[in-house]
Amino acid sequence: MTPSDTNMLVSVCLQTYQQSAFIRQAIESVLAQETDFPFEILIGEDDSTDGTREICQEYAQRFPGRIRLFLRHEHEKIYINGVKTGRFNFLSNLQAARGKYIALLDGDDYWPDTRKLQKQVDALEKDPSFSICFSQVEIEQDGVTRPYKAVRGTKHIFTITDLALNCFIQTCAILFRNPGFSQVPIHFYETPVLDYALYLYLASKGKILYLKEAKAVYRFHAQGFWTLTQKEEQVRKLWLFLDRVIPEYSGYVQEALVMQRRRLIRTLVKRHIRLGEKQKLAALLKEIEQRSPKDYPSTPYLMINRIRYQVKGLFKKSS
């Protein structure tokens, strides 16, 4: 069905940068969606130099009634903690969405299930108490696809508190009610991890539904964002993210976020001990001790004495 401004039901926000090897499959998987409602595809092309932009322009010319192409430019990119990001591209796509619902897709992922959108929309239309519906995910690496168990057991309804303990939603799997993004929380422009911040924001407006019947594929490859980020750097990015978003919440949600932050730092401690990185461990201890207590509400941030003991033990081993 051809979308129009007045009857738009779903906006698919597809963000891409330097993904010429994958972007065709991503776009084709959206075009292949079988629905009984109109949907639009918003492609945010973030000034690629590898041919991605030209491929997006080709598809926009072929499907002018379905695809809206936004060509971003280098000077629009936002730096966060000194690192250049695709934040402007992502948020601008959300702000341009006209649909009642929004689905997200990165340019290196795809939807093998041609009824993914229909299944998710049907689920949210049936129960307005849900603000998010996310689907089953598989991971593709080196041409081999395997299941990804983001959700274990039979649980299929979650709350924001569940999400605050652990982010179990993949970008390619989500469809959510469009709350309107003419104004967005200021921390969306500041946190190093936007997708998780967005999911928490949406989950504050309703419940979360896991739909095993629908399917999306997350591609794990050498050029991928998290693939390029080493484990320690990933943990530290999440630590910075949690530092920024914890003050935005209160009660059980805030406590769950604080618990996740403790778990992350314990992960760093264990990693430094396992690898014999005594300088990093000592620096981590100093970093924690310098944190102001008022920045870490609820229960104590970390058991400093335990880390001191671990530092002492590591020094003893390496002497």
Side-chain angles (χ1 to χ4, degrees):
M1 299 178 68
T2 302
S4 70
D5 290 340
T6 57
N7 68 350
M8 186 62 55
L9 195 68
V10 175
S11 296
V12 178
C13 290
L14 195 161
Q15 293 68 236
T16 185
Y17 175 69
Q18 300 292 84
Q19 294 168 330
S20 59
F22 313 113
I23 188 61
R24 287 186 186 276
Q25 186 175 19
I27 297 173
E28 290 286 355
S29 74
V30 182
L31 290 169
Q33 290 297 299
E34 301 170 0
T35 67
D36 59 14
F37 53 79
F39 67 89
E40 63 177 354
I41 307 171
L42 282 64
I43 301 179
E45 204 296 306
D46 211 10
D47 209 3
S48 302
T49 58
D50 69 339
T52 300
R53 174 163 291 211
E54 289 73 18
I55 294 172
C56 293
Q57 289 173 320
E58 171 197 330
Y59 274 93
Q61 292 170 1
R62 287 172 54 192
F63 301 94
R66 177 57 56 83
I67 295 176
R68 297 166 61 200
L69 175 61
F70 298 91
L71 301 176
R72 316 299 184 194
H73 301 282
E74 185 69 20
H75 69 271
E76 297 172 312
K77 295 185 179 181
I78 296 173
Y79 283 75
I80 298 175
N81 298 326
V83 179
K84 184 166 58 177
T85 71
R87 191 62 44 91
F88 177 84
N89 187 33
F90 195 153
L91 291 177
S92 296
N93 249 17
L94 291 178
Q95 290 168 339
R98 302 177 298 193
K100 177 181 178 181
Y101 301 104
I102 295 176
L104 301 178
L105 185 64
D106 290 332
D108 53 352
D109 300 330
Y110 64 96
W111 297 335
D113 183 352
T114 60
R115 300 281 291 173
K116 175 187 177 291
L117 287 183
Q118 185 71 58
K119 293 171 184 176
Q120 290 183 300
V121 168
D122 287 347
L124 291 188
E125 287 281 275
K126 184 177 180 179
D127 192 338
S129 69
F130 290 97
S131 61
I132 296 173
C133 178
F134 72 104
S135 70
Q136 179 184 180
V137 172
E138 293 182 342
I139 292 179
E140 180 181 307
Q141 184 175 12
D142 299 327
V144 178
T145 303
R146 58 182 172 84
Y148 174 71
K149 295 184 178 180
V151 174
R152 299 182 184 277
T154 59
K155 186 173 180 178
H156 65 283
I157 296 176
F158 302 87
T159 68
I160 184 174
T161 305
D162 295 315
L163 190 62
L165 287 169
N166 176 46
C167 185
F168 45 77
I169 300 174
Q170 291 289 331
T171 299
C172 61
I174 195 171
L175 180 133
F176 55 88
R177 297 184 193 277
N178 184 355
F181 291 99
S182 57
Q183 291 185 328
V184 298
I186 188 64
H187 68 274
F188 278 20
Y189 291 96
E190 299 171 347
T191 172
V193 183
L194 177 59
D195 51 0
Y196 195 2
L198 173 63
Y199 306 159
L200 287 167
Y201 174 72
L202 296 168
S204 70
K205 303 177 182 299
K207 297 181 295 184
I208 305 168
L209 176 66
Y210 171 55
L211 200 63
K212 190 175 182 179
E213 293 75 23
K215 187 182 296 184
V217 172
Y218 169 78
R219 184 181 271 112
F220 191 87
H221 59 93
Q223 290 76 42
F225 174 74
W226 283 113
T227 313
L228 290 173
T229 307
Q230 297 297 319
K231 179 65 176 179
E232 182 179 343
E233 187 179 347
Q234 291 177 15
V235 172
R236 285 194 166 271
K237 278 181 180 289
L238 287 174
W239 183 359
L240 287 173
F241 161 78
L242 291 166
D243 278 351
R244 181 60 188 85
V245 300
I246 282 171
E248 302 295 326
Y249 296 92
S250 60
Y252 290 123
V253 176
Q254 188 181 75
E255 289 179 13
L257 291 167
V258 170
M259 287 175 62
Q260 182 181 174
R261 181 168 56 187
R262 283 201 207 96
R263 190 170 67 244
L264 283 175
I265 297 177
R266 290 193 186 100
T267 298
L268 278 180
V269 170
K270 291 177 180 178
R271 177 182 175 85
H272 294 333
I273 291 173
R274 187 178 72 252
L275 298 178
E277 298 170 335
K278 64 180 183 179
Q279 288 84 7
K280 285 188 175 182
L281 189 57
L284 177 60
L285 171 61
K286 184 177 180 180
E287 183 178 357
I288 294 168
E289 290 180 318
Q290 289 174 343
R291 300 279 184 172
S292 172
K294 67 181 178 62
D295 295 330
Y296 298 90
S298 189
T299 52
Y301 177 54
L302 197 64
M303 295 178 68
I304 298 297
N305 287 336
R306 179 180 295 181
I307 297 182
R308 283 201 184 99
Y309 175 79
Q310 291 168 325
V311 172
K312 182 178 179 182
L314 179 60
F315 276 31
K316 191 176 295 184
K317 288 178 185 178
S318 59
S319 59

